[in-house]
Amino acid sequence: MMNFIFGKLTLDALPHAWFTIGGTATITLGGIATALLLTKYKKWKWLWEKWLTSTDPKKIGIMYIIVASLMLFRGALDALMIWTQQAMSTGSSHGYLSPAHFQQIFTAHGDIMVFFVTMGFLFGLINFIVPLQIGARDLAFPFLNTLGFWLYVAGVVLINMFFVFGGDFAAAGWLSIAPLSELQFSPGIGVDYWIWSLQISGIGSLIGGINFIATIIKMRAPGMSLFKMPLFTWTSLCSMVLVVSVFPILAVTIALLNLDRFFGMHFFTSTAGGNPMMYTNLIWTWGHPEVYILILPGFGIFSEVVSTFSQKKLFSYSSQVAAAIGVTLLSMVVWMHHFFTMGAGADVNAFFGIMTMFIAVPTGVLVFNWLATMFRGKIVYSTPILWFLGFVATFTFGGMAGVLMSVPPADFQVHNSLFLVAHFHTMIIGGALFGIFAGLTYWFPKFTGFKLDEKLGIYSFWFWLIGFFVSFIPLYILGFMGATRRLDHYSSSTGWQPLFITSLIGFCIIAIGAGIQVLQVIVSIKNRKQNLDTTGDPWNGRTLEWATKSPPSFYNFAIIPEVKDRDAFWDIKQGSRVKDQGLMEKYEDIEMPKNTAMGIYVAGFLFVFGFAMVWHIIWLAIITLIGTIVCFIIRAFDDESEYVLPASEVAKIEEGRIHG
Amino acid sequence: MDKHEFNNEKTQFGFWVYLMTDLLMFAALFATFAVLRKNTFGGPSGRDLFNLQFALTETLILLTSSFTCGLGIIFAQKKKVKQTVIFFGITFLLGISFLGMEIYEFSHLITDGNSPQRSAFLSSFFTLVGTHGLHITSGLLWMIILFIQIFRKGLTDSNLRKLTLLSIFWHFLDIVWIFIFTIVYLMGAVL
Ligand code: HEM
Ligand SMILES: [Cu+2]
């Protein structure tokens, strides 16, 4: 009976180790504190109506960014634990973590950083900025947008659930490589949490990808042809094309692994004819494009930043677009470079090696274009451009490491070594994350109506950059010396400890940088009166998002702009169109989507469904699945998901008589 | 372009993108099947298990349902509610029979001891064909919902749009099935 009600869930699953107790305490205390604050300031209704149920992509974007920031600290804590262990654990000392626990930490670290930090930030930025850049009022499918966001949140919660129920996370690496992730070798529930967290949030990303493609293709302002789109929109489009091309493969791969584990099938098992190497292939056909999903929007951010702060048109717009498309296409035919050592044979390795090297060409084109844009520009050295310059240094470095590993014989030496770890951190931190920071600083006034504190921004940049090199150059060296990744202990005769300690020091420098960023946000909010952005165009911008006020009204544009030039807003500013526009044209009625809580309900049901599947609580899984379907049916019968904002109302908001 | 037309276009475009993602999902499942189809682990192979006539009947049923679905859409565009409902009704019945046959086949296999746990080949077979079956199920569910909506409000713009999407979905499943029939059943019986 207990078995029926609770599945595999027993009292033993409740927290008893220091880290699960700590995690559970943090989660519950944090939850209680938030709830108390909300009650004290009577903000529940406000939170629910203005934020959680909102279909406004700007609000959803901000919520993505907030969750991703929280997860950044969660993931950084994991990093600190990994690094400390490695700095300590040599010779007779075995550090403070058991090998089993260590494995769970690096697994969680990778998943959280990729799926919930980088992806979260990117979806946040794209949500907020892309509709503005293309002169749209909304996304193509507002409901799917909240749904996608809440699925992401469900994934975030599920990946942290093991603190409270279970105590063990997956320990098979961030991609849960088979057959290690099969029941035979990972009998616990950790891998099941991994499966459902990524499955649910992955479907959220897939829905988001479809939505953004439809938005960018179908909702552009009149006159904005594809080749007049800003580069951030372009690279987001490329990234989303990759999302819809490869996330289905991830969904299938995870589902098959689940079939193996839950129903005892044999896709990737080492028995009964299963083929573990197929898992490696499938996961990397998704995995390599995924890393370009992470970096492409960053490329676009840098294009915007470089052009704005050099006060110049982008150098060779068409070749940048071509390069972005080239990267997109090439990234789909290189996945094998992640397992040259698996034994596919020399011909196959050679093909994928050469394809991988080709990727350096379009990437190089982009870098040279950015530099050429700066050349003879009137450069304003504010924080976003510093992030760009830092990025050029790190990205070139990491790219060369990548090209080195794309030579199969060379890769045999450094595969799965710390050299590889250093490579991809250079690309993801120095590339994607620096891009995100540049974007967050650049668009912050658009989000909030005031700029971020410039001085603290510059400090934090230097801490990040220096800390980055201090912590990752040792890893490159260690990799060459033969240190493999994921070591929880090494012999003292290797003499590696000083390098590991240096690396830990680097981490601490980065942590100071991140601390300064938190301070920066707090200080900027406190001193917002001094940094107010009253014009909506604080940087003398070139693209349409700067044509709105900061923060924009919920409908973005009272009058949809006519686009005549690539730098649409620059063009408007040059002419006199901005002035007579309001007089010449009258406001019109605007149709906007209503708020809906259905996304929350569906995600809630799927979250419980995932939890029930992890613990084999069959009745609960069935009920929640039915609940999900019923939600969709109710939604299907709702024909009134939009409302009309009358022109007179728009006029009032625009003239500042009531608050938008 | 008026608002209604724009909504149509936007939704159809989004739906096509979705279908492409679904197609990729099937592609991944086909690839798995192709890799694992010889891995019978001493158990039965496709040649031992598949009944071509049975599968051919399923195929004909599904093809016919696609045809009636197409007729249904033609009538829907002419705003003829009665004929629309009749032809989609036939489509629905054919869909149900297809699903019934599939369930019959699956349960037969399982009771004979050839369950998906038996071998990697059977795992991939059940998963590929079963995923198609799940799609058919959701198509049928969708059809029921649309029937109710049409009974309530008639062939409004929004109902017509949904009906069109449903028909695209149905044809899509038909095409996927043809691949299943060819690759799983025909090639399984011959090669
Ligand atoms: C010039 C471009 C690039 C080249 C030539 C390149 C090449 C490679 C190669 C050959 C490997 C496999 C090495 C091995 O496992 O032995 C690899 C791993 C990896 N790369 Fe790159 N890369 C490039 C850009 C990027 C970018 C832009 C990112 C991310 C934003 C990235 C993220 C990764 C990750 C995450 C891994 C390894 C993941 C793992 O094994 O867990 N790379 N890269
Ligand atoms: Cu790769």
Side-chain angles (χ1 to χ4, degrees):
Chain A
M1 187 63 195
M2 289 304 265
N3 240 333
F4 174 74
I5 299 179
F6 294 110
K8 297 202 296 188
L9 190 58
T10 60
L11 280 180
D12 291 339
L14 293 176
H16 47 266
W18 61 268
F19 60 96
T20 45
I21 294 175
T24 308
T26 317
I27 293 168
T28 22
L29 292 182
I32 292 174
T34 320
L36 282 182
L37 279 178
L38 284 171
T39 314
K40 176 148 181 260
Y41 294 101
K42 300 208 168 57
K43 289 285 188 191
W44 281 106
K45 198 159 174 261
W46 166 83
L47 183 70
W48 181 259
E49 283 177 359
K50 293 274 180 225
W51 288 93
L52 304 185
T53 58
S54 173
T55 45
D56 181 346
K58 297 184 288 302
K59 296 242 164 96
I60 293 176
I62 301 240
M63 290 194 287
Y64 263 116
I65 291 170
I66 291 172
V67 179
S69 312
L70 291 176
M71 282 300 107
L72 178 59
F73 284 92
R74 161 80 172 78
L77 213 60
D78 284 336
L80 176 63
M81 284 160 70
I82 298 171
W83 251 302
T84 320
Q85 168 74 10
Q86 292 187 323
M88 286 162 68
S89 175
T90 182
S92 57
S93 157
H94 281 263
Y96 69 112
L97 295 172
S98 69
H101 188 193
F102 182 78
Q103 289 161 8
Q104 293 173 25
I105 297 174
F106 66 65
T107 303
H109 168 76
D111 288 322
I112 286 176
M113 288 305 201
V114 169
F115 290 97
F116 300 121
V117 176
T118 319
M119 291 290 272
F121 275 129
L122 293 177
F123 272 98
L125 284 170
I126 295 175
N127 252 300
F128 201 107
I129 298 302
V130 163
L132 289 170
Q133 281 200 331
I134 61 176
R137 293 199 170 114
D138 205 336
L139 293 190
F141 310 111
F143 167 63
L144 292 187
N145 196 27
T146 69
L147 178 62
F149 168 70
W150 286 105
L151 291 179
Y152 160 79
V153 174
V156 166
V157 182
L158 260 180
I159 207 171
N160 288 301
M161 272 311 267
F162 75 94
F163 280 120
V164 189
F165 299 101
D168 287 314
F169 189 62
W174 73 285
L175 290 178
S176 283
I177 293 294
L180 180 58
S181 52
E182 290 286 355
L183 214 48
Q184 190 186 355
F185 304 106
S186 298
I189 40 82
V191 175
D192 302 307
Y193 272 126
W194 181 90
I195 286 175
W196 289 105
S197 170
L198 297 202
Q199 188 65 291
I200 291 173
S201 66
I203 290 170
S205 310
L206 187 56
I207 295 176
I210 296 173
N211 205 348
F212 285 117
I213 293 179
T215 306
I216 295 174
I217 299 295
K218 289 286 169 198
M219 312 263 292
R220 295 188 313 274
M224 182 175 281
S225 59
L226 281 179
F227 282 90
K228 287 204 179 74
M229 295 195 314
L231 260 153
F232 178 63
T233 302
W234 255 115
T235 56
S236 300
L237 178 63
C238 291
S239 175
M240 292 303 135
V241 167
L242 282 178
V243 165
V244 298
S245 314
V246 299
F247 268 74
I249 305 176
L250 177 71
V252 166
T253 313
I254 298 180
L256 298 185
L257 181 62
N258 185 54
L259 289 176
D260 276 2
R261 291 179 59 91
F262 195 92
F263 293 108
M265 295 197 197
H266 296 284
F267 286 100
F268 314 121
T269 54
S270 40
T271 56
N275 188 341
M277 289 192 287
M278 190 171 61
Y279 185 91
T280 309
N281 258 298
L282 283 172
I283 201 81
W284 282 118
T285 11
W286 161 81
H288 183 83
E290 165 69 11
V291 306
Y292 278 90
I293 291 169
L294 301 179
I295 193 73
L296 274 163
F299 287 168
I301 293 172
F302 286 129
S303 293
E304 307 288 338
V305 163
V306 166
S307 148
T308 304
F309 292 97
S310 308
Q311 314 200 42
K312 255 178 80 185
K313 246 182 167 19
L314 265 179
F315 182 82
S316 184
Y317 172 95
S318 350
S319 76
Q320 294 222 27
V321 173
I325 297 176
V327 167
T328 308
L329 295 179
L330 275 176
S331 74
M332 292 197 228
V333 289
V334 299
W335 76 89
M336 257 258 342
H337 66 215
H338 291 273
F339 45 95
F340 283 142
T341 51
M342 201 165 84
D347 295 341
V348 177
N349 277 0
F351 171 80
F352 281 94
I354 291 168
M355 281 303 158
T356 307
M357 290 174 217
F358 271 140
I359 278 212
V361 177
T363 342
V365 169
L366 283 168
V367 173
F368 285 120
N369 272 326
W370 292 318
L371 297 180
T373 306
M374 293 182 77
F375 183 64
R376 297 218 171 125
K378 284 190 232 102
I379 302 171
V380 185
Y381 279 100
S382 57
T383 334
I385 202 114
L386 286 181
W387 285 114
F388 166 72
L389 293 173
F391 154 85
V392 173
T394 49
F395 197 76
T396 318
F397 199 81
M400 287 190 305
V403 175
L404 188 151
M405 289 186 298
S406 58
V407 184
D411 184 63
F412 271 61
Q413 298 305 313
V414 288
H415 177 56
N416 273 350
S417 72
L418 286 180
F419 185 85
L420 159 80
V421 173
H423 156 70
F424 71 72
H425 281 86
T426 314
M427 297 318 239
I428 295 183
I429 300 179
L433 201 61
F434 280 16
I436 286 164
F437 289 156
L440 288 176
T441 327
Y442 177 55
W443 284 308
F444 194 85
K446 195 46 62 187
F447 298 160
T448 60
F450 54 93
K451 288 202 236 180
L452 278 173
D453 189 281
E454 191 64 32
K455 208 152 142 210
L456 288 172
I458 293 173
Y459 287 156
S460 103
F461 163 75
W462 285 109
F463 275 102
W464 266 93
L465 188 73
I466 294 169
F468 177 79
F469 280 113
V470 175
S471 86
F472 286 96
I473 291 207
L475 295 196
Y476 281 107
I477 301 170
L478 279 165
F480 275 142
M481 291 162 77
T484 53
R485 71 196 291 190
R486 298 165 177 166
L487 282 180
D488 63 275
H489 182 78
Y490 46 92
S491 152
S492 53
S493 64
T494 54
W496 291 340
Q497 196 177 27
L499 284 169
F500 274 114
I501 293 177
T502 317
S503 189
L504 175 61
I505 295 171
F507 174 86
C508 298
I509 302 177
I510 295 181
I512 297 174
I516 296 178
Q517 282 172 314
V518 176
L519 191 70
Q520 183 193 20
V521 173
I522 297 172
V523 167
S524 311
I525 293 177
K526 241 182 86 200
N527 301 343
R528 62 184 175 281
K529 295 259 152 42
Q530 290 143 37
N531 292 322
L532 235 37
D533 165 27
T534 47
T535 58
D537 180 23
W539 314 111
N540 198 4
R542 315 180 71 86
T543 39
L544 277 182
E545 73 269 30
W546 304 111
T548 60
K549 61 181 195 236
S550 295
S553 320
F554 58 93
Y555 46 72
N556 290 357
F557 300 91
I559 296 162
I560 299 287
E562 282 263 350
V563 176
K564 299 227 165 71
D565 191 80
R566 268 175 201 155
D567 288 344
F569 182 48
W570 190 261
D571 173 53
I572 293 176
K573 284 196 281 193
Q574 298 311 306
S576 53
R577 288 207 284 140
V578 75
K579 271 168 256 147
D580 42 16
Q581 205 168 34
L583 301 172
M584 309 264 299
E585 296 166 75
K586 284 225 292 294
Y587 296 122
E588 47 179 4
D589 292 355
I590 296 179
E591 268 190 43
M592 296 300 293
K594 288 185 190 158
N595 281 6
T596 168
M598 206 47 99
I600 303 185
Y601 298 147
V602 172
F605 275 123
L606 283 178
F607 162 73
V608 181
F609 173 73
F611 182 80
M613 290 298 282
V614 168
W615 290 103
H616 293 224
I617 309 173
I618 310 301
W619 61 270
L620 189 58
I622 294 173
I623 291 179
T624 45
L625 203 57
I626 294 174
T628 313
I629 296 171
V630 169
C631 283
F632 276 113
I633 293 177
I634 294 174
R635 176 77 198 174
F637 279 101
D638 182 8
D639 278 338
E640 276 141 30
S641 55
E642 294 193 333
Y643 69 97
V644 176
L645 186 72
S648 57
E649 209 65 9
V650 179
K652 275 190 209 158
I653 295 175
E654 286 302 305
E655 286 151 23
R657 274 184 283 156
I658 52 176
H659 214 64
Chain B
M1 191 171 13
D2 72 1
K3 177 173 175 309
H4 156 67
E5 244 176 83
F6 176 69
N7 268 348
N8 265 353
E9 233 193 81
K10 185 177 80 174
T11 320
Q12 283 214 5
F13 180 82
F15 196 73
W16 275 108
V17 180
Y18 152 71
L19 278 187
M20 292 306 107
T21 65
D22 217 2
L23 191 64
L24 282 163
M25 228 162 74
F26 276 111
L29 288 173
F30 273 112
T32 358
F33 179 79
V35 171
L36 298 178
R37 57 186 281 264
K38 297 272 175 209
N39 297 12
T40 53
F41 201 60
S45 67
R47 197 193 305 227
D48 308 326
L49 294 178
F50 299 146
N51 178 343
L52 265 190
Q53 261 155 10
F54 190 85
L56 187 63
T57 317
E58 284 180 295
T59 311
L60 289 178
I61 289 178
L62 209 57
L63 283 177
T64 319
S65 83
S66 243
F67 178 65
T68 53
C69 170
L71 289 180
I73 279 295
I74 292 177
F75 283 112
Q77 275 160 353
K78 293 185 178 152
K79 305 274 178 200
K80 295 198 169 142
V81 178
K82 207 173 118 205
Q83 284 92 330
T84 309
V85 172
I86 290 177
F87 278 107
F88 271 96
I90 299 176
T91 311
F92 183 83
L93 292 179
L94 290 169
I96 284 273
S97 346
F98 171 86
L99 204 60
M101 287 183 78
E102 189 160 280
I103 292 171
Y104 170 79
E105 184 193 16
F106 276 16
S107 57
H108 212 69
L109 284 171
I110 292 173
T111 43
D112 284 352
N114 299 318
S115 69
Q117 288 84 0
R118 176 79 175 78
S119 68
F121 155 66
L122 282 165
S123 301
S124 63
F125 163 77
F126 273 95
T127 307
L128 172 58
V129 180
T131 306
H132 179 266
L134 276 181
H135 277 73
I136 294 278
T137 315
S138 44
L140 292 173
L141 197 64
W142 191 5
M143 238 178 258
I144 297 177
I145 294 167
L146 281 186
F147 281 140
I148 300 175
Q149 281 178 328
I150 291 172
F151 282 130
R152 277 172 41 168
K153 298 207 172 149
L155 283 168
T156 58
D157 285 346
S158 117
N159 282 345
L160 184 58
R161 175 164 71 227
K162 290 176 191 164
L163 216 50
T164 313
L165 297 186
L166 173 66
S167 78
I168 301 174
F169 184 65
W170 202 255
H171 296 313
F172 164 78
L173 292 183
D174 205 9
I175 294 170
V176 172
W177 177 261
I178 295 197
F179 279 94
I180 293 184
F181 178 64
T182 316
I183 293 176
V184 177
Y185 291 98
L186 274 183
M187 283 166 67
V190 179
L191 298 176

